[in-house]
Amino acid sequence: MNLADEKFMREAMVLARQAEAGGEVPVGAVLVKDGVVVGSGWNQPITAHDPTAHAEVMALRAAASLGGNYRLTGTTLYVTLEPCAMCAGALVHARVQRLVYGAADTKAGAAGSVFNLVQSDALNHRLEVEGGVLAEECGALLKAFFTRRR
């Protein structure tokens, strides 16, 4: 883990707390190009009434809108939880270069834990992946949220 990875993961964690404050599962994401955040998002499928409003998708939408292009080449996505299949597919289609995630998702992760869509030879683009960045802190946010919900 390098210092930039830790810095941007901490920014994603701030967004995860924003999701939690809104009653959503605490997941946050930032998309970075050349050291600058070009898109950010947090989970909001409940509040937005949108099943696709995951943190990763929200960050991709923001960056694509800002840049005027759905292809987000040369970018790195930082997200507090390993992406699901939907989000992994969106990262591939957006041509994101690199994925950095915090906590692994052993039930639905699609970046190596359950599936590995982001590096599948069957698809036309593959991402570089680094998992486990600030994993304990990211995982603690999720565990505390679900403990309170039970």
Side-chain angles (χ1 to χ4, degrees):
M1 172 176 58
N2 63 46
L3 290 176
D5 287 351
E6 183 175 337
K7 172 191 171 196
F8 290 119
M9 187 61 71
R10 291 202 184 282
E11 288 187 33
M13 290 174 67
V14 168
L15 296 169
R17 289 184 189 96
Q18 187 168 334
E20 183 176 29
E24 303 277 0
V25 175
V27 179
V30 294
L31 190 70
V32 175
K33 183 165 184 156
D34 300 325
V36 175
V37 174
V38 295
S40 61
W42 58 92
N43 266 9
Q44 42 195 308
I46 297 166
T47 54
H49 310 289
D50 178 356
T52 68
H54 289 195
E56 301 94 324
V57 171
M58 301 310 287
L60 293 175
R61 287 177 182 164
S65 181
L66 179 70
N69 192 340
Y70 77 96
R71 289 199 174 173
L72 302 168
T73 59
T75 58
T76 298
L77 182 83
Y78 295 87
V79 62
T80 57
L81 178 65
E82 179 182 359
C84 69
M86 176 187 70
C87 293
L91 295 173
V92 170
H93 287 291
R95 309 299 196 276
V96 170
Q97 179 180 337
R98 184 170 176 249
L99 166 66
V100 179
Y101 68 85
D105 184 345
T106 58
K107 293 181 181 177
S113 290
V114 178
F115 310 103
N116 196 353
L117 291 178
V118 296
Q119 294 180 323
S120 173
D121 289 336
L123 301 176
N124 64 346
H125 177 73
R126 283 163 288 292
L127 283 72
E128 301 166 27
V129 177
E130 180 162 353
V133 173
L134 300 179
E136 287 185 24
E137 292 176 55
C138 292
L141 281 173
L142 291 157
K143 285 177 188 166
F145 173 80
F146 286 113
T147 298
R148 284 191 300 277
R149 300 272 299 224
R150 291 186 184 119

